[in-house]
Amino acid sequence: MTLKNVKQSLNEIAKSLGEVQDAREFLLTNTREIIILCSKSIIAVHKGDITTGKTNLKKASVLLNKYKKKATGELRKYLIIPEQEFVEATCLIAIVEQKEIPSDKKLAVMPESYVLGLLDCVGELKRQVFDKIRVGKIDEATRIFEVMENLYLQLYTFSLYDKVVKEARRKIDVNRILVDDVRSVITEEKRRTELIKILQKLEK
């Protein structure tokens, strides 16, 4: 009995695993730039600079498409986070511009990435609502809140798939709190606005 076959098999396996490991390290290192660009896009949108937001998002899209060619098979999972960030930024821009949020097929992302990206966007919408209230745009704040709430309601049932879509249940629980908080703020702000209008009429 010899180990000739074992040795040959292990050499081939080692070579294959080495290639996978190299590809993994490459993806983890290079996709960080996509995450950074998406973060910059979101920051720009919150500052009211949609043009810069779109520019950074486009750069992220180009890189994402480039690295998808290298992320085949099991390596696809290493694109979930960058895709998730891409979906989040895309969703935010669409809502701010009062456009339809693109589908997962349109964005060419994995189902997990799409769900997680939408869940993350709910938190960004809270900031948008508060920013609008701060500058007295209560109608716009209300519009964004309605999208935020509807988005949460559409995603709520995905807590059932927490074993498949990691972090889904936790993010949904967080989003429920965010939606409740924003609803309270919106309600209070509307009451305050109505009271101001009544007082202004009385002063006349």
Side-chain angles (χ1 to χ4, degrees):
M1 182 182 74
T2 67
L3 298 179
K4 181 180 178 181
N5 291 334
V6 172
K7 184 178 180 180
Q8 182 179 347
S9 294
L10 291 178
N11 285 338
E12 291 174 357
I13 291 169
K15 182 181 178 181
S16 176
L17 291 177
E19 291 172 353
V20 171
Q21 182 168 285
D22 289 344
R24 174 185 177 275
E25 293 303 317
F26 173 85
L27 289 170
L28 288 174
T29 300
N30 289 280
T31 54
R32 289 193 188 104
E33 189 176 354
I34 297 172
I35 296 169
I36 291 170
L37 284 168
C38 290
S39 294
K40 286 181 176 179
S41 176
I42 290 170
I43 291 169
V45 171
H46 285 313
K47 289 182 177 179
D49 188 355
I50 299 292
T51 301
T52 298
K54 285 184 173 181
T55 299
N56 284 321
L57 191 62
K58 187 173 182 179
K59 290 177 182 177
S61 178
V62 171
L63 290 176
L64 196 54
N65 288 330
K66 175 183 176 182
Y67 298 137
K68 278 178 185 177
K69 297 174 183 177
K70 197 172 184 70
T72 56
E74 285 295 310
L75 291 170
R76 280 285 282 157
K77 64 184 178 183
Y78 296 110
L79 286 183
I80 290 178
I81 292 178
E83 282 189 350
Q84 176 182 329
E85 298 293 321
F86 178 70
V87 171
E88 180 183 4
T90 302
C91 177
L92 179 62
I93 289 175
I95 293 168
V96 169
E97 291 194 319
Q98 300 190 42
K99 295 179 179 178
E100 285 292 327
I101 298 170
S103 66
D104 60 327
K105 301 293 188 298
K106 177 72 174 177
L107 297 179
V109 297
M110 289 176 282
E112 302 98 310
S113 307
Y114 191 70
V115 171
L116 293 171
L118 291 177
L119 284 168
D120 285 344
C121 187
V122 172
E124 300 302 333
L125 293 178
K126 175 185 176 180
R127 179 173 172 180
Q128 278 289 310
V129 170
F130 283 9
D131 285 347
K132 299 304 179 186
I133 289 175
R134 194 174 63 251
V135 296
K137 296 182 178 179
I138 186 64
D139 289 341
E140 180 64 5
T142 301
R143 180 190 73 80
I144 294 173
F145 170 67
E146 287 173 354
V147 176
M148 177 186 181
E149 185 175 37
N150 287 330
L151 192 56
Y152 162 72
L153 291 172
Q154 291 289 326
L155 291 162
Y156 179 76
T157 56
F158 280 85
S159 59
L160 296 171
Y161 309 111
D162 190 59
K163 300 298 182 184
V164 181
V165 184
K166 292 182 180 180
E167 293 288 294
R169 185 185 296 275
R170 184 188 66 80
K171 288 178 183 290
I172 287 168
D173 288 342
V174 170
N175 284 350
R176 184 183 66 252
I177 296 169
L178 293 178
V179 169
D180 288 344
D181 286 347
V182 175
R183 183 186 294 108
S184 296
V185 172
I186 285 282
T187 302
E188 187 61 34
E189 187 61 25
K190 282 186 174 182
R191 287 173 180 168
R192 191 182 73 84
T193 302
E194 287 301 316
L195 179 59
I196 290 173
K197 287 180 180 178
I198 292 170
L199 290 174
Q200 287 175 339
K201 286 181 179 179
L202 289 174
E203 287 176 357
K204 292 178 179 179

